[in-house]
Amino acid sequence: DKVIAFRDYVRSHVHMSDATDPRPLLRASAAEILRSGRGACGEASRVFICLAATQDIPAQRVYLDNPVQHVVSEVALSDNETLIVDCLN
C-alpha cells in the first residue's frame, strides 16, 4: 500500500519538463524536484526511491533502453518478490 501511495504521490507532483529545457550536469535532489514539480522519468524515480527509503522500503533505479530510454524503480517486497514501479507513466 505504501509503494502505491508513493507512486501516486510522485505521479501527481512531478510532471514531464519541456524537452527544450537544458538538463544540468549535476542532477537535482529529490527535494528540488518536488519544489519545481518538473522532471523526467529519472527525476520521478529519484523522488520515489527517496520516499521509499523513509519507510525502509528498499528500491533502486532500473534503466530500460529498448526501443526508447526510460527509468523505472524496482522495489524489494518483504516476501522475496520485486515490483517494478513506473512513477511517470
Side-chain angles (χ1 to χ4, degrees):
D1 290 338
K2 289 179 184 179
V3 169
I4 299 303
F6 287 147
R7 182 207 61 191
D8 292 347
Y9 180 84
V10 174
R11 282 184 177 178
S12 67
H13 286 81
V14 179
H15 304 284
M16 193 67 171
S17 22
D18 185 349
T20 61
D21 286 346
R23 295 184 80 185
L25 176 62
L26 299 175
R27 300 293 189 222
S29 69
E32 292 167 333
I33 294 164
L34 283 175
R35 273 194 293 277
S36 74
R38 297 175 37 199
C41 53
E43 286 80 17
S45 293
R46 180 175 303 119
V47 171
F48 173 84
I49 291 166
C50 289
L51 289 172
T54 67
Q55 298 297 306
D56 296 321
I57 299 171
Q60 63 183 358
R61 294 167 69 98
V62 176
Y63 296 89
L64 307 176
D65 195 20
N66 192 12
V68 296
Q69 294 180 341
H70 190 51
V71 180
V72 296
S73 301
E74 179 184 58
V75 177
L77 301 176
S78 59
D79 53 2
N80 293 326
E81 292 185 53
T82 58
L83 178 67
I84 299 296
V85 179
D86 189 341
C87 290
L88 199 59
N89 296 322

Coordinates of all heavy atoms in Angstrom, one line a residue:
D1 N 0.8 -1.2 0.0 CA 0.0 0.0 0.0 C 0.9 1.3 0.0 O 0.5 2.2 -0.7 CB -0.9 0.0 1.2 CG -2.0 -1.1 1.1 OD1 -2.3 -1.5 0.0 OD2 -2.5 -1.4 2.2
K2 N 2.0 1.2 0.8 CA 2.9 2.4 0.8 C 3.5 2.7 -0.6 O 3.6 3.8 -1.0 CB 3.9 2.2 1.9 CG 3.4 2.3 3.3 CD 4.5 2.1 4.3 CE 4.0 2.1 5.7 NZ 5.1 1.8 6.7
V3 N 3.9 1.6 -1.2 CA 4.5 1.7 -2.5 C 3.6 2.4 -3.5 O 4.0 3.3 -4.2 CB 5.0 0.3 -3.1 CG1 5.4 0.4 -4.5 CG2 6.1 -0.2 -2.2
I4 N 2.3 2.0 -3.6 CA 1.4 2.5 -4.5 C 1.1 4.0 -4.1 O 1.0 4.9 -4.9 CB 0.1 1.7 -4.5 CG1 0.3 0.3 -5.0 CG2 -1.0 2.4 -5.3 CD1 1.0 0.2 -6.3
A5 N 1.0 4.3 -2.8 CA 0.8 5.6 -2.3 C 1.9 6.6 -2.7 O 1.7 7.7 -3.2 CB 0.6 5.7 -0.8
F6 N 3.2 6.1 -2.6 CA 4.3 6.9 -3.0 C 4.3 7.1 -4.5 O 4.6 8.2 -5.0 CB 5.6 6.2 -2.6 CG 5.9 6.3 -1.1 CD1 6.6 5.3 -0.5 CD2 5.5 7.4 -0.4 CE1 6.9 5.4 0.9 CE2 5.8 7.5 1.0 CZ 6.5 6.5 1.6
R7 N 4.0 6.0 -5.3 CA 3.9 6.2 -6.7 C 2.9 7.2 -7.2 O 3.2 8.1 -8.0 CB 3.6 4.8 -7.4 CG 3.6 4.9 -8.9 CD 2.7 3.9 -9.5 NE 1.3 4.1 -9.1 CZ 0.3 3.2 -9.3 NH1 0.6 2.1 -10.0 NH2 -0.9 3.4 -8.9
D8 N 1.7 7.1 -6.6 CA 0.7 8.1 -6.9 C 1.0 9.5 -6.5 O 0.7 10.4 -7.2 CB -0.6 7.7 -6.2 CG -1.2 6.4 -6.8 OD1 -0.7 5.9 -7.9 OD2 -2.1 5.8 -6.2
Y9 N 1.7 9.6 -5.4 CA 2.1 11.0 -4.9 C 3.1 11.6 -6.0 O 3.0 12.7 -6.4 CB 2.8 10.9 -3.6 CG 3.3 12.2 -3.1 CD1 2.4 13.1 -2.4 CD2 4.6 12.6 -3.2 CE1 2.8 14.3 -2.0 CE2 5.0 13.9 -2.8 CZ 4.1 14.7 -2.1 OH 4.5 15.9 -1.7
V10 N 4.1 10.8 -6.4 CA 5.1 11.3 -7.3 C 4.4 11.6 -8.7 O 4.7 12.6 -9.3 CB 6.2 10.2 -7.5 CG1 7.2 10.7 -8.6 CG2 7.0 10.0 -6.2
R11 N 3.5 10.7 -9.1 CA 2.8 11.0 -10.4 C 2.0 12.3 -10.3 O 1.9 13.0 -11.3 CB 1.8 9.8 -10.7 CG 2.5 8.6 -11.3 CD 1.5 7.6 -11.6 NE 2.2 6.4 -12.2 CZ 1.6 5.3 -12.6 NH1 0.3 5.2 -12.5 NH2 2.2 4.3 -13.2
S12 N 1.5 12.6 -9.2 CA 0.7 13.9 -9.1 C 1.5 15.1 -8.8 O 1.0 16.2 -9.0 CB -0.4 13.7 -8.0 OG 0.2 13.6 -6.7
H13 N 2.8 14.9 -8.4 CA 3.6 16.1 -8.1 C 4.8 16.3 -9.0 O 5.5 17.4 -8.9 CB 4.1 15.9 -6.6 CG 3.0 16.2 -5.6 ND1 2.1 15.3 -5.3 CD2 2.7 17.3 -5.0 CE1 1.3 15.8 -4.4 NE2 1.6 17.0 -4.2
V14 N 5.2 15.3 -9.8 CA 6.3 15.5 -10.8 C 5.8 15.3 -12.2 O 5.2 14.3 -12.5 CB 7.5 14.5 -10.5 CG1 8.6 14.7 -11.5 CG2 8.0 14.7 -9.0
H15 N 6.0 16.3 -13.0 CA 5.4 16.3 -14.4 C 6.6 16.5 -15.4 O 7.5 17.2 -15.1 CB 4.3 17.3 -14.5 CG 3.3 17.2 -13.5 ND1 2.3 16.2 -13.6 CD2 3.0 17.8 -12.4 CE1 1.5 16.3 -12.6 NE2 1.9 17.2 -11.8
M16 N 6.4 15.9 -16.5 CA 7.5 15.9 -17.5 C 7.8 17.4 -17.9 O 7.0 18.2 -18.1 CB 6.9 15.2 -18.8 CG 8.0 14.9 -19.8 SD 9.1 13.7 -19.1 CE 10.0 13.4 -20.6
S17 N 9.1 17.7 -17.8 CA 9.6 19.0 -18.2 C 9.6 19.2 -19.7 O 9.6 18.2 -20.4 CB 10.9 19.4 -17.6 OG 11.7 18.3 -17.2
D18 N 9.6 20.4 -20.1 CA 9.7 20.7 -21.5 C 11.0 20.1 -22.1 O 12.1 20.3 -21.5 CB 9.7 22.2 -21.7 CG 9.7 22.6 -23.1 OD1 9.9 21.8 -24.1 OD2 9.4 23.8 -23.4
A19 N 11.0 19.5 -23.2 CA 12.1 18.8 -23.8 C 13.2 19.9 -24.2 O 14.4 19.5 -24.3 CB 11.7 18.0 -25.1
T20 N 12.9 21.1 -24.3 CA 13.9 22.2 -24.7 C 14.6 22.7 -23.4 O 15.6 23.4 -23.6 CB 13.2 23.3 -25.4 OG1 12.2 23.9 -24.5 CG2 12.5 22.9 -26.7
D21 N 14.1 22.3 -22.2 CA 14.8 22.7 -21.0 C 16.2 22.0 -20.9 O 16.2 20.8 -21.0 CB 14.0 22.4 -19.8 CG 12.9 23.4 -19.6 OD1 12.8 24.4 -20.2 OD2 12.0 23.0 -18.7
P22 N 17.3 22.7 -20.7 CA 18.5 22.0 -20.6 C 18.6 21.3 -19.3 O 18.1 21.7 -18.3 CB 19.6 23.1 -20.6 CG 18.8 24.4 -20.2 CD 17.4 24.1 -20.6
R23 N 19.2 20.1 -19.3 CA 19.3 19.3 -18.0 C 20.7 19.6 -17.5 O 21.7 19.6 -18.2 CB 19.2 17.8 -18.3 CG 17.8 17.5 -18.8 CD 17.6 16.0 -19.0 NE 17.4 15.4 -17.7 CZ 17.3 14.2 -17.5 NH1 17.4 13.3 -18.5 NH2 17.0 13.7 -16.3
P24 N 20.7 20.0 -16.2 CA 22.0 20.4 -15.6 C 23.0 19.2 -15.5 O 22.5 18.0 -15.4 CB 21.6 20.9 -14.2 CG 20.3 20.2 -13.9 CD 19.6 20.0 -15.2
L25 N 24.2 19.5 -15.4 CA 25.2 18.4 -15.3 C 25.0 17.7 -13.9 O 25.0 16.5 -13.9 CB 26.6 19.0 -15.3 CG 27.8 18.0 -15.1 CD1 27.8 16.9 -16.1 CD2 29.1 18.8 -15.0
L26 N 24.8 18.5 -12.9 CA 24.6 17.9 -11.6 C 23.1 17.8 -11.4 O 22.4 18.8 -11.4 CB 25.2 18.7 -10.4 CG 26.7 18.8 -10.5 CD1 27.2 19.8 -9.4 CD2 27.4 17.5 -10.4
R27 N 22.5 16.6 -11.2 CA 21.1 16.4 -11.2 C 20.5 17.0 -9.9 O 21.2 17.1 -8.8 CB 20.8 14.9 -11.2 CG 21.3 14.3 -12.5 CD 20.5 14.8 -13.7 NE 20.9 14.0 -14.9 CZ 21.1 14.5 -16.0 NH1 21.1 15.7 -16.2 NH2 21.4 13.7 -17.0
A28 N 19.2 17.4 -10.0 CA 18.5 18.0 -8.8 C 18.3 16.9 -7.8 O 18.1 15.7 -8.1 CB 17.2 18.5 -9.3
S29 N 18.2 17.4 -6.5 CA 17.9 16.5 -5.4 C 16.4 16.2 -5.5 O 15.6 16.9 -6.1 CB 18.2 17.1 -4.1 OG 17.4 18.2 -3.8
A30 N 15.9 15.2 -4.7 CA 14.5 14.9 -4.6 C 13.7 16.1 -4.1 O 12.6 16.4 -4.7 CB 14.3 13.7 -3.7
A31 N 14.2 16.8 -3.1 CA 13.5 17.9 -2.6 C 13.4 19.0 -3.7 O 12.4 19.7 -3.8 CB 14.3 18.5 -1.4
E32 N 14.5 19.3 -4.5 CA 14.4 20.3 -5.5 C 13.4 19.9 -6.6 O 12.7 20.7 -7.1 CB 15.8 20.4 -6.1 CG 16.8 21.1 -5.2 CD 18.2 21.0 -5.7 OE1 18.6 20.1 -6.4 OE2 19.0 21.9 -5.3
I33 N 13.4 18.6 -6.9 CA 12.4 18.1 -7.9 C 11.0 18.3 -7.5 O 10.1 18.8 -8.2 CB 12.7 16.6 -8.2 CG1 14.0 16.4 -8.9 CG2 11.6 16.0 -9.1 CD1 14.5 15.0 -8.9
L34 N 10.7 18.0 -6.2 CA 9.4 18.2 -5.7 C 9.0 19.7 -5.6 O 7.9 20.1 -5.9 CB 9.2 17.6 -4.3 CG 9.1 16.1 -4.3 CD1 9.1 15.6 -2.8 CD2 7.8 15.7 -5.0
R35 N 10.0 20.6 -5.3 CA 9.7 22.0 -5.2 C 9.3 22.5 -6.6 O 8.4 23.3 -6.8 CB 10.9 22.8 -4.7 CG 10.9 22.9 -3.2 CD 11.9 23.9 -2.7 NE 13.3 23.6 -3.0 CZ 14.0 22.8 -2.2 NH1 13.5 22.3 -1.1 NH2 15.3 22.5 -2.5
S36 N 10.1 22.1 -7.6 CA 9.8 22.6 -9.0 C 8.6 21.9 -9.6 O 8.0 22.4 -10.5 CB 11.1 22.4 -9.9 OG 11.2 21.0 -10.2
G37 N 8.4 20.6 -9.2 CA 7.3 19.8 -9.9 C 7.6 19.4 -11.3 O 6.8 18.9 -12.0
R38 N 8.9 19.5 -11.7 CA 9.3 19.2 -13.0 C 10.4 18.1 -13.0 O 11.3 18.1 -12.2 CB 9.8 20.4 -13.7 CG 8.7 21.5 -13.9 CD 9.1 22.8 -14.4 NE 10.1 22.6 -15.5 CZ 10.9 23.5 -15.9 NH1 10.9 24.7 -15.3 NH2 11.8 23.3 -16.8
G39 N 10.3 17.3 -14.0 CA 11.4 16.3 -14.2 C 11.0 15.2 -15.2 O 9.8 15.2 -15.7
A40 N 11.9 14.4 -15.5 CA 11.6 13.3 -16.4 C 11.5 12.0 -15.6 O 11.5 12.0 -14.4 CB 12.7 13.2 -17.5
C41 N 11.6 10.9 -16.3 CA 11.5 9.6 -15.6 C 12.5 9.4 -14.5 O 12.3 8.8 -13.5 CB 11.4 8.4 -16.6 SG 12.8 8.4 -17.7
G42 N 13.8 9.8 -14.8 CA 14.8 9.6 -13.8 C 14.6 10.5 -12.6 O 14.9 10.0 -11.5
E43 N 14.1 11.7 -12.7 CA 13.8 12.5 -11.6 C 12.6 11.9 -10.8 O 12.7 11.9 -9.5 CB 13.5 13.9 -12.0 CG 14.7 14.7 -12.5 CD 15.2 14.4 -13.9 OE1 14.4 13.8 -14.7 OE2 16.4 14.7 -14.2
A44 N 11.6 11.5 -11.5 CA 10.5 10.9 -10.8 C 10.9 9.6 -10.0 O 10.5 9.4 -8.8 CB 9.4 10.5 -11.8
S45 N 11.8 8.8 -10.6 CA 12.3 7.7 -9.9 C 13.1 8.0 -8.7 O 13.1 7.4 -7.6 CB 13.1 6.8 -10.8 OG 12.3 6.2 -11.8
R46 N 13.9 9.1 -8.8 CA 14.7 9.6 -7.7 C 13.9 10.0 -6.5 O 14.1 9.6 -5.3 CB 15.6 10.8 -8.1 CG 16.5 11.3 -7.0 CD 17.4 12.4 -7.4 NE 18.2 11.9 -8.5 CZ 18.3 12.5 -9.7 NH1 17.5 13.5 -10.0 NH2 19.0 11.9 -10.7
V47 N 12.8 10.7 -6.8 CA 11.9 11.1 -5.7 C 11.2 9.9 -5.1 O 11.2 9.7 -3.8 CB 10.8 12.0 -6.2 CG1 9.7 12.3 -5.2 CG2 11.4 13.4 -6.7
F48 N 10.8 8.9 -5.9 CA 10.1 7.7 -5.4 C 11.1 6.9 -4.5 O 10.7 6.5 -3.4 CB 9.7 6.8 -6.5 CG 9.1 5.5 -6.0 CD1 7.8 5.4 -5.6 CD2 10.0 4.4 -6.0 CE1 7.4 4.1 -5.1 CE2 9.5 3.2 -5.5 CZ 8.2 3.0 -5.1
I49 N 12.3 6.7 -4.9 CA 13.3 6.0 -4.2 C 13.6 6.6 -2.8 O 13.7 6.0 -1.8 CB 14.6 5.8 -5.0 CG1 14.3 4.8 -6.1 CG2 15.7 5.2 -4.1 CD1 15.3 4.8 -7.2
C50 N 13.7 8.0 -2.8 CA 13.9 8.7 -1.6 C 12.7 8.6 -0.6 O 12.9 8.4 0.6 CB 14.3 10.1 -1.8 SG 15.9 10.4 -2.6
L51 N 11.5 8.6 -1.1 CA 10.3 8.5 -0.3 C 10.3 7.1 0.3 O 10.0 6.9 1.4 CB 9.1 8.8 -1.1 CG 8.8 10.2 -1.5 CD1 7.6 10.3 -2.4 CD2 8.6 11.0 -0.2
A52 N 10.6 6.1 -0.6 CA 10.6 4.7 -0.1 C 11.6 4.5 1.0 O 11.3 3.8 2.0 CB 10.9 3.7 -1.3
A53 N 12.7 5.1 0.9 CA 13.8 5.0 1.9 C 13.3 5.5 3.3 O 13.8 4.9 4.3 CB 15.1 5.7 1.5
T54 N 12.4 6.5 3.3 CA 12.0 7.0 4.6 C 11.2 5.9 5.3 O 11.0 6.1 6.6 CB 11.1 8.2 4.4 OG1 9.9 7.9 3.8 CG2 11.8 9.3 3.6
Q55 N 10.7 4.9 4.6 CA 9.9 3.9 5.3 C 10.7 2.5 5.2 O 10.1 1.5 5.4 CB 8.5 3.7 4.6 CG 7.7 4.9 4.7 CD 7.3 5.3 6.1 OE1 6.8 4.4 6.8 NE2 7.6 6.5 6.5
D56 N 12.0 2.6 5.0 CA 12.8 1.4 4.9 C 12.3 0.4 3.9 O 12.4 -0.8 4.1 CB 12.9 0.7 6.3 CG 13.6 1.6 7.3 OD1 14.6 2.3 7.0 OD2 13.2 1.6 8.5
I57 N 11.9 0.9 2.8 CA 11.5 0.1 1.6 C 12.6 0.2 0.6 O 12.9 1.2 0.1 CB 10.2 0.6 1.0 CG1 9.0 0.6 2.0 CG2 9.8 -0.2 -0.3 CD1 7.8 1.3 1.5
P58 N 13.3 -1.0 0.4 CA 14.4 -1.0 -0.5 C 14.0 -0.8 -2.0 O 13.1 -1.5 -2.4 CB 15.1 -2.4 -0.3 CG 14.3 -3.1 0.7 CD 13.1 -2.3 1.0
A59 N 14.6 0.2 -2.6 CA 14.2 0.5 -4.0 C 15.5 0.9 -4.7 O 16.4 1.5 -4.1 CB 13.1 1.5 -4.1
Q60 N 15.5 0.7 -6.0 CA 16.6 1.1 -6.8 C 16.2 1.4 -8.2 O 15.1 1.1 -8.6 CB 17.7 0.0 -6.9 CG 17.2 -1.3 -7.6 CD 18.3 -2.4 -7.6 OE1 19.4 -2.2 -7.1 NE2 17.9 -3.5 -8.1
R61 N 17.0 2.1 -9.0 CA 16.7 2.5 -10.3 C 17.0 1.4 -11.3 O 17.9 0.6 -11.1 CB 17.6 3.7 -10.8 CG 17.4 5.0 -10.0 CD 18.5 6.0 -10.2 NE 18.6 6.5 -11.6 CZ 18.0 7.7 -11.9 NH1 17.4 8.4 -11.0 NH2 18.1 8.1 -13.2
V62 N 16.2 1.3 -12.3 CA 16.3 0.3 -13.4 C 16.3 1.1 -14.7 O 15.3 1.9 -14.9 CB 15.2 -0.8 -13.4 CG1 15.4 -1.7 -14.6 CG2 15.3 -1.5 -12.1
Y63 N 17.3 1.0 -15.5 CA 17.4 1.7 -16.8 C 16.9 0.7 -17.9 O 17.4 -0.4 -18.0 CB 18.8 2.1 -17.1 CG 19.4 3.1 -16.0 CD1 20.0 2.7 -14.9 CD2 19.2 4.4 -16.2 CE1 20.4 3.6 -13.9 CE2 19.7 5.4 -15.3 CZ 20.3 4.9 -14.2 OH 20.7 5.8 -13.2
L64 N 15.9 1.2 -18.6 CA 15.4 0.5 -19.8 C 15.9 1.2 -21.0 O 15.9 2.4 -21.1 CB 13.9 0.4 -19.8 CG 13.3 -0.1 -18.4 CD1 11.7 0.1 -18.5 CD2 13.7 -1.5 -18.2
D65 N 16.3 0.4 -22.0 CA 17.0 1.0 -23.2 C 16.5 0.4 -24.5 O 17.3 0.4 -25.5 CB 18.5 0.9 -23.0 CG 19.2 1.8 -24.0 OD1 18.6 2.8 -24.5 OD2 20.4 1.5 -24.3
N66 N 15.3 -0.1 -24.6 CA 14.9 -0.6 -25.9 C 13.4 -0.6 -26.0 O 12.7 -1.3 -25.2 CB 15.4 -2.0 -26.1 CG 15.3 -2.5 -27.5 OD1 15.0 -1.8 -28.4 ND2 15.5 -3.8 -27.7
P67 N 12.8 0.0 -26.9 CA 13.3 0.8 -28.0 C 13.6 2.2 -27.6 O 14.3 2.9 -28.4 CB 12.2 0.8 -29.1 CG 10.9 0.7 -28.3 CD 11.3 -0.2 -27.1
V68 N 13.1 2.7 -26.5 CA 13.5 4.1 -26.0 C 14.1 4.0 -24.6 O 13.9 3.0 -23.9 CB 12.2 5.0 -26.0 CG1 11.7 5.2 -27.4 CG2 11.2 4.4 -25.1
Q69 N 14.8 5.0 -24.2 CA 15.4 5.0 -22.9 C 14.3 5.5 -21.9 O 13.5 6.4 -22.1 CB 16.5 6.0 -22.8 CG 17.7 5.6 -23.7 CD 18.8 6.6 -23.6 OE1 18.7 7.7 -23.3 NE2 20.0 6.1 -24.0
H70 N 14.3 4.8 -20.8 CA 13.3 5.1 -19.7 C 13.9 4.6 -18.4 O 14.7 3.6 -18.4 CB 12.0 4.3 -20.0 CG 10.8 4.7 -19.1 ND1 10.5 6.0 -18.9 CD2 10.0 4.0 -18.4 CE1 9.4 6.1 -18.1 NE2 9.1 4.8 -17.8
V71 N 13.5 5.2 -17.3 CA 14.0 4.8 -16.0 C 12.7 4.5 -15.1 O 11.8 5.3 -15.1 CB 14.8 6.0 -15.3 CG1 15.2 5.5 -13.9 CG2 16.0 6.3 -16.1
V72 N 12.8 3.4 -14.4 CA 11.7 3.0 -13.5 C 12.4 2.6 -12.2 O 13.6 2.6 -12.1 CB 10.9 1.8 -14.1 CG1 10.1 2.2 -15.3 CG2 11.8 0.6 -14.3
S73 N 11.6 2.3 -11.2 CA 12.2 1.8 -9.9 C 11.8 0.4 -9.7 O 10.8 -0.1 -10.1 CB 11.6 2.6 -8.8 OG 11.9 4.0 -9.0
E74 N 12.7 -0.3 -9.0 CA 12.5 -1.7 -8.6 C 12.4 -1.7 -7.1 O 13.3 -1.2 -6.4 CB 13.6 -2.6 -9.1 CG 13.4 -4.1 -8.7 CD 14.6 -4.9 -9.1 OE1 15.7 -4.6 -8.7 OE2 14.4 -5.9 -9.9
V75 N 11.3 -2.3 -6.5 CA 11.1 -2.3 -5.1 C 11.3 -3.8 -4.6 O 10.7 -4.7 -5.2 CB 9.7 -1.8 -4.7 CG1 9.5 -1.9 -3.2 CG2 9.6 -0.4 -5.2
A76 N 12.0 -4.0 -3.6 CA 12.1 -5.3 -3.0 C 11.0 -5.5 -2.0 O 11.0 -4.7 -1.0 CB 13.5 -5.5 -2.3
L77 N 10.1 -6.4 -2.2 CA 9.0 -6.6 -1.3 C 9.4 -7.6 -0.2 O 10.4 -8.3 -0.3 CB 7.8 -7.2 -2.0 CG 7.2 -6.3 -3.2 CD1 6.1 -7.0 -3.9 CD2 6.8 -5.0 -2.6
S78 N 8.7 -7.6 0.9 CA 9.1 -8.4 2.1 C 9.0 -9.9 1.8 O 9.7 -10.7 2.5 CB 8.2 -8.1 3.2 OG 6.8 -8.3 2.9
D79 N 8.3 -10.4 0.8 CA 8.2 -11.8 0.6 C 9.1 -12.3 -0.6 O 8.7 -13.1 -1.4 CB 6.7 -12.2 0.3 CG 6.1 -11.3 -0.8 OD1 6.8 -10.5 -1.4 OD2 4.9 -11.5 -1.1
N80 N 10.3 -11.7 -0.7 CA 11.3 -12.0 -1.7 C 10.8 -11.9 -3.1 O 11.2 -12.6 -4.0 CB 11.8 -13.5 -1.5 CG 12.6 -13.6 -0.2 OD1 13.3 -12.6 0.2 ND2 12.5 -14.7 0.5
E81 N 9.9 -10.9 -3.3 CA 9.5 -10.6 -4.7 C 9.9 -9.2 -5.0 O 10.1 -8.4 -4.1 CB 7.9 -10.7 -4.8 CG 7.4 -12.2 -4.7 CD 6.0 -12.3 -4.9 OE1 5.5 -11.7 -6.0 OE2 5.3 -12.8 -4.1
T82 N 9.9 -8.9 -6.3 CA 10.2 -7.5 -6.6 C 9.1 -6.9 -7.4 O 8.3 -7.7 -8.0 CB 11.5 -7.4 -7.5 OG1 11.4 -8.2 -8.6 CG2 12.7 -7.8 -6.7
L83 N 9.0 -5.6 -7.4 CA 7.9 -4.9 -8.1 C 8.5 -3.8 -8.9 O 9.3 -3.0 -8.4 CB 6.9 -4.4 -7.1 CG 5.7 -3.6 -7.6 CD1 4.8 -4.5 -8.4 CD2 5.0 -2.9 -6.4
I84 N 8.2 -3.7 -10.2 CA 8.6 -2.6 -11.0 C 7.6 -1.4 -10.9 O 6.4 -1.7 -11.0 CB 8.8 -3.0 -12.5 CG1 9.8 -4.1 -12.6 CG2 9.1 -1.8 -13.3 CD1 11.2 -3.7 -12.2
V85 N 8.1 -0.2 -10.6 CA 7.2 0.9 -10.4 C 7.6 2.0 -11.4 O 8.7 2.5 -11.4 CB 7.4 1.5 -8.9 CG1 6.5 2.7 -8.7 CG2 7.1 0.4 -7.9
D86 N 6.7 2.4 -12.2 CA 6.9 3.5 -13.1 C 6.1 4.7 -12.6 O 4.9 4.8 -12.6 CB 6.3 3.1 -14.5 CG 6.7 4.1 -15.6 OD1 7.1 5.2 -15.3 OD2 6.6 3.7 -16.8
C87 N 6.9 5.7 -12.2 CA 6.3 6.9 -11.5 C 5.9 8.0 -12.5 O 5.3 9.0 -12.1 CB 7.3 7.4 -10.5 SG 7.5 6.3 -9.1
L88 N 6.3 7.8 -13.7 CA 5.9 8.9 -14.7 C 4.8 8.5 -15.6 O 4.0 9.4 -15.9 CB 7.2 9.3 -15.5 CG 7.1 10.6 -16.2 CD1 7.0 11.7 -15.2 CD2 8.4 10.8 -17.0
N89 N 4.7 7.3 -16.0 CA 3.6 6.9 -16.9 C 2.6 6.1 -16.2 O 2.8 5.3 -15.3 CB 4.2 6.0 -18.0 CG 5.2 6.8 -18.9 OD1 5.0 7.9 -19.1 ND2 6.3 6.1 -19.2

